[in-house]
């Protein structure tokens, strides 16, 4: 009798294990939902984006090498005019240039905040960074439009719209993220590296320059790539200052365009399923693949650079 | 407190005519208002190994770090008294800490090689001093690694990361890194406490070998280590130097009761 009871209670699920089961089901379904959403977004963008080349007979080589963008029209061979080179060049130009300009500032600010004056640096720069992160991109674009563009027009000629204006606006936009990630990278360098360096007769600058920065290189690279990925994907602010001309940029002050700016400009003006619409999806697919690439790079670097 | 008043026994210390390489007098050190060193007077002779022993928190590391001014890096530290290196006050306002630390090298408790190659680790001190000549750097690496008794093990992988070495190898690379700068004095703060017995004894043998050319000051919790390799031993307790004498005398015939109690394991 008693034995049966014990067996029964052992075989019956306890309350705790039941609850664990419920929790598991809940979190698994949440994960599945997320995966489904991500995969379907990707598939959606991909099928549309690829349709330009399969259904509409666009040439993928033209897409990457030609500079005539007028998807509604066709060339002599009947292929739609989908030369995206100006946008590709524009996107990479503003991304790389703004990262090049932002990196030294981010590193300098991070050194100040971590190595030179941690207390004051933290008090002054931290709120500034948080503020800059919180400003919506339309505000950056507006300031760019009303301050940066006229400034460039007056000092460098041209209309003021172009890669240079885009670069300057993006520089300010990615600076806070790049700075705070660089700060994290410097903070992660163990104190005993600094001590060892100083004990060998290094000055403070030599220690920062030769040990701390060198040990923080992977973290700083991650910060820069993160900034680039943000710059590459930024649409609104860039669109407001770059001029949106689908021409190959001849210089930094002539109107140009980026993948994102043409995408946002064209979105409302095309019918779902039309060639013009599909061509925009091709731009979106390229953006998606690029941000995937940025993410992979970040993971690679942070894995490789992890300090023991 | 009677203990605070007693002067360390110094009779054995003054037997040679050679002036000490380091001479400290009445050194007090405060962390904020906490007095961690309460008047330490002791001197170190060239080409000897001196062991600093004492229970945890008695001020051994603090004292060691006053000798190359590493305590300067800690905020709110006040130091009083005199520390002379070869007759020169290292706390004088015109003292260059960069030069001082090249003459008084330091090895830490945890092996702390830079996340660079072995070669870059060992040449670090020279490179920051402006040495660029490849031949000179190569030669310095070989000499330093030989002195640290690890050349044969590492000569084929000088350009691999030092982080991939074992703890004992890392510590010897750290010692080589100090030796490459050619200091006069080497301070070691429990250099073997994180290592296995075999690595420890390799480092002990190396230190005995090194003492021919260097003055070595070693903090250790390992009584056997102190008695095996040191020429003289200083016993610290609660910020005081209780007894300082030939290692033999300290271990076989201590003059102070506190020393005897500590050595025989009755406290600490
Ligand atoms: N950075 C610091 N700030 C404040 N107090 C400190 C600091 N470092 C050490 N102290 C204090 O100074 C005293 C001496 O410490 P010290 O590290 O010199 O002892 P130690 O003899 O080396 O001990 P251990 O054998 O554990 O290494 C201790 O009371 C410790 O709490
Ligand atoms: Mg200590």
């Amino acid at each position: 009798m008693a034995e049966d009871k014990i067996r029964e209670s052992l075989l019956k699920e306890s309350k705790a294990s039941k609850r664990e089961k419920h929790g598991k089901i809940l979190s698994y379904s949440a994960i599945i939902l997320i995966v489904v959403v991500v995969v379907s977004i990707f598939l959606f963008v991909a099928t549309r984006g690829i349709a330009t080349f399969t259904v509409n007979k666009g040439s993928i080589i033209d897409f990457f090498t030609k500079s005539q963008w007028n998807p509604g029209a066709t060339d002599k061979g009947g292929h739609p005019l989908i030369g995206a080179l100006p946008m590709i060049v524009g996107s990479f130009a503003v991304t790389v240039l703004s990262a090049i300009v932002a990196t030294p500032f981010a590193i300098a600010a991070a050194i100040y905040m971590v190595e030179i004056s941690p207390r004051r640096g933290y008090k002054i720069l931290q709120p500034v960074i948080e503020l800059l992160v919180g400003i919506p991109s339309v505000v950056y674009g507006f300031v760019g439009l009303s301050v940066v563009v006229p400034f460039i027009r007056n000092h460098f000629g041209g209309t003021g719209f172009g890669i240079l204006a885009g670069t300057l606006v993006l520089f300010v936009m990615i600076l806070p993220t790049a700075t705070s990630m660089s700060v994290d990278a410097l903070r992660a360098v163990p104190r005993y590296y600094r001590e060892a360096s100083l004990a060998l007769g290094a000055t403070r600058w030599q220690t920062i320059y030769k040990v701390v920065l060198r040990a923080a290189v992977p973290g700083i690279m991650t910060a820069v790539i993160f900034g680039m990925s943000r710059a590459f994907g930024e649409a609104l602010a860039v669109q407001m200052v770059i001029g949106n001309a689908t021409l190959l940029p001849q210089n930094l002050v002539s109107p140009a365009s980026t993948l994102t700016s043409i995408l946002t400009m064209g979105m409302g003006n095309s019918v779902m399923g039309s060639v013009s619409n599909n061509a925009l999806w091709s731009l979106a697919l390229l953006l998606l693949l690029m941000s995937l690439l940025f993410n992979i790079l970040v993971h690679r670097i942070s894995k490789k650079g992890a300090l023991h | 407190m009677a203990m605070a008043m007693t002067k360390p026994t110094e009779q054995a210390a003054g037997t040679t005519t050679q002036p000490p390489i380091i001479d400290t007098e009445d050194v007090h050190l405060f962390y904020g208002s906490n007095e961690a060193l309460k008047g330490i007077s002791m001197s170190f002779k060239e080409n000897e190994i001196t062991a600093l022993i004492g229970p945890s928190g008695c001020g051994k590391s603090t004292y060691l770090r006053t000798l190359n001014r590493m305590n300067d890096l800690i905020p709110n530290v006040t130091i009083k008294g005199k520390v002379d290196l070869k007759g020169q006050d290292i706390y004088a306002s015109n003292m260059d800490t960069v030069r001082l630390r090249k003459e008084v090298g330091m090895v830490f408790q945890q092996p702390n090689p830079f996340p660079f190659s072995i070669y870059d680790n060992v040449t670090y001190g020279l490179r920051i001093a402006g040495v660029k000549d490849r031949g000179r750097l190569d030669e310095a690496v070989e000499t330093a690694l030989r002195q640290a008794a690890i050349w044969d093990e590492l000569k084929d992988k000088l350009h691999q990361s030092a982080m991939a070495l074992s703890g004992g190898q890392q510590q010897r690379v750290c010692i080589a890194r100090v030796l490459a700068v050619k200091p006069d004095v080497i301070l070691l703060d429990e250099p073997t406490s994180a290592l296995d017995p075999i690595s420890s004894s390799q480092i002990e043998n190396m230190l005995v070998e090194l003492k021919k050319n260097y003055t070595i000051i070693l903090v250790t919790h390992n009584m056997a280590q102190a008695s095996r390799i040191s020429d003289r031993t200083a016993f610290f307790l609660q910020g005081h130097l209780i007894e300082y004498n030939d290692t033999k005398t300290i271990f076989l015939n201590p003059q102070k009761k506190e020393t005897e109690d500590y050595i025989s394991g009755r406290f600490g």
Side-chain angles (χ1 to χ4, degrees):
Chain A
M1 254 340 255
E3 240 172 56
D4 279 357
K5 239 188 187 161
I6 291 171
R7 178 176 301 167
E8 200 174 304
S9 77
L10 278 175
L11 289 175
K12 230 178 71 188
E13 261 184 307
S14 76
K15 228 182 187 167
S17 77
K18 235 185 218 161
R19 219 179 280 152
E20 171 157 332
K21 214 178 194 175
H22 284 245
K24 264 188 186 160
I25 290 173
L26 213 68
S27 62
Y28 277 129
S29 19
I31 291 170
I32 289 169
L33 186 72
I34 293 171
V35 171
V36 167
V37 168
V38 169
V39 169
S40 44
I41 290 177
F42 192 85
L43 284 180
F44 185 74
V45 175
T47 47
R48 299 272 158 178
I50 291 171
T52 315
F53 308 110
T54 53
V55 180
N56 307 118
K57 309 234 162 17
S59 154
I60 196 154
I61 297 172
D62 286 0
F63 185 73
F64 285 105
T65 57
K66 292 256 165 82
S67 51
Q68 227 181 343
W69 179 260
N70 189 3
T74 52
D75 62 10
K76 280 174 245 142
H79 303 292
L81 294 169
I82 49 161
L85 189 62
M87 288 85 99
I88 295 173
V89 170
S91 277
F92 277 98
V94 289
T95 301
V96 171
L97 288 177
S98 60
I100 288 176
V101 182
T103 304
F105 285 91
I107 293 176
I111 288 177
Y112 183 77
M113 285 174 73
V114 178
E115 303 291 331
I116 296 176
S117 179
R119 217 171 295 162
R120 196 151 18 119
Y122 196 79
K123 232 193 233 153
I124 300 172
L125 287 178
Q126 194 65 22
V128 171
I129 288 175
E130 279 161 17
L131 191 75
L132 286 175
V133 171
I135 296 176
S137 40
V138 65
V139 175
Y140 281 106
F142 196 45
V143 172
L145 189 62
S146 35
V147 180
V148 178
V149 171
F151 177 85
I152 292 173
R153 181 163 53 227
N154 296 334
H155 291 85
F156 300 94
T159 57
F161 293 98
I163 304 256
L164 184 58
T167 300
L168 289 180
V169 168
L170 284 176
F171 153 66
V172 182
M173 290 182 77
I174 66 177
L175 190 58
T177 327
T179 304
S180 59
M181 287 182 71
S182 301
V183 166
D184 293 343
L186 295 192
R187 285 224 179 101
V189 175
R191 206 170 64 105
Y192 52 74
Y193 288 161
R194 297 177 177 87
E195 287 198 334
S197 169
L198 293 167
L200 285 164
T203 63
R204 206 160 148 211
W205 272 112
Q206 287 174 323
T207 302
I208 292 173
Y209 183 65
K210 302 216 163 169
V211 176
V212 179
L213 278 185
R214 188 166 160 187
V217 160
I220 292 173
M221 294 246 289
T222 308
V224 172
I225 293 178
F226 233 83
M228 286 173 77
S229 138
R230 168 126 203 245
F232 200 82
E234 174 54 40
L236 200 53
V238 179
Q239 185 213 322
M240 289 166 80
V241 300
I242 200 155
N244 304 305
T246 53
L247 305 165
L248 262 189
Q250 300 303 317
N251 53 47
L252 295 183
V253 294
S254 67
S257 58
T258 63
L259 294 167
T260 49
S261 75
I262 294 306
L263 197 56
T264 43
M265 297 274 297
M267 260 184 326
N269 309 328
S270 63
V271 183
M272 199 70 158
S274 68
V275 189
S276 329
N277 192 263
N278 283 348
L280 292 179
W281 285 111
S282 302
L283 298 184
L285 180 60
L286 185 59
L287 275 170
L288 196 67
L289 292 176
M290 280 307 300
S291 51
L292 209 63
L293 183 72
F294 281 126
N295 275 331
I296 291 171
L297 277 181
V298 166
H299 277 271
R300 275 279 166 84
I301 290 172
S302 47
K303 214 185 266 166
K304 216 173 121 190
L307 293 167
H308 34 279
Chain B
M1 208 159 64
M3 205 172 65
M5 297 295 123
T6 48
K7 270 257 164 188
T9 38
E10 273 261 24
Q11 66 273 43
T15 43
T16 51
T17 48
Q18 201 186 19
I21 184 163
I22 290 181
D23 186 26
T24 70
E25 225 167 81
D26 200 27
V27 173
H28 294 259
L29 185 142
F30 300 82
Y31 291 112
S33 58
N34 170 29
E35 187 171 9
L37 298 178
K38 299 168 182 165
I40 308 290
S41 302
M42 65 188 295
S43 55
F44 301 89
K45 283 194 291 182
E46 256 177 288
N47 303 89
E48 280 194 349
I49 297 179
T50 305
L52 310 182
I53 61 170
S56 195
C58 67
K60 306 177 297 289
S61 300
T62 301
Y63 178 70
L64 197 71
R65 293 163 61 96
T66 59
L67 303 180
N68 66 344
R69 292 188 54 171
M70 283 301 275
N71 286 322
D72 291 17
L73 307 176
I74 303 168
N76 299 322
V77 165
T78 338
I79 299 163
K80 285 190 214 144
K82 195 185 67 150
V83 181
D84 281 0
L85 172 69
K86 293 187 270 186
Q88 210 178 4
D89 180 7
I90 68 166
Y91 283 92
S93 57
N94 62 354
M95 185 70 201
D96 179 7
T97 50
V98 166
R99 223 198 71 214
L100 168 69
R101 289 176 190 151
K102 283 183 177 137
E103 287 179 39
V104 184
M106 182 165 224
V107 175
F108 298 81
Q109 178 173 5
Q110 283 295 330
N112 58 354
F114 300 124
F116 314 155
S117 69
I118 296 163
Y119 187 94
D120 282 359
N121 264 281
V122 179
T123 55
Y124 182 78
L126 292 173
R127 285 183 292 120
I128 55 168
V131 178
K132 292 211 177 70
D133 180 53
R134 192 79 191 181
R136 237 184 101 191
L137 292 176
D138 287 349
E139 197 185 303
V141 169
E142 177 165 354
T143 314
L145 287 175
R146 276 193 196 284
Q147 283 181 307
I150 196 172
W151 170 252
D152 291 326
E153 269 168 77
L154 299 187
K155 63 172 183 258
D156 296 322
K157 43 180 172 178
L158 293 178
H159 295 283
Q160 290 177 18
S161 170
M163 310 298 293
L165 300 175
S166 75
Q169 289 174 322
Q170 288 187 4
Q171 192 63 302
R172 279 185 285 164
V173 167
C174 291
I175 294 172
R177 183 171 69 180
V178 170
L179 295 175
V181 184
K182 295 199 165 50
D184 297 320
V185 181
I186 304 174
L187 312 174
L188 303 104
D189 195 350
E190 304 182 40
T192 62
S193 65
L195 305 181
D196 65 282
I198 292 175
S199 304
S200 301
S201 87
Q202 285 169 331
I203 286 182
E204 285 179 15
N205 295 340
M206 181 190 97
L207 291 177
V208 171
E209 201 56 38
L210 284 176
K211 114 182 157 173
K212 291 173 192 155
N213 300 310
Y214 299 89
T215 306
I216 293 170
I217 305 171
L218 166 81
V219 170
T220 181
H221 274 286
N222 183 335
M223 294 298 134
Q225 182 174 68
S227 64
R228 267 195 303 268
I229 65 172
S230 72
D231 299 293
R232 297 202 288 160
T233 298
F235 172 60
F236 281 66
L237 188 61
Q238 292 170 8
H240 296 282
L241 174 61
I242 303 299
E243 188 167 352
Y244 181 30
N245 218 325
D246 286 341
T247 297
K248 230 183 224 153
T249 314
I250 291 278
F251 280 92
L252 298 180
N253 187 19
Q255 307 294 303
K256 294 273 160 40
K257 187 169 181 316
E258 293 95 335
T259 317
E260 191 180 347
D261 285 350
Y262 181 70
I263 285 165
S264 55
R266 247 167 283 172
F267 71 87

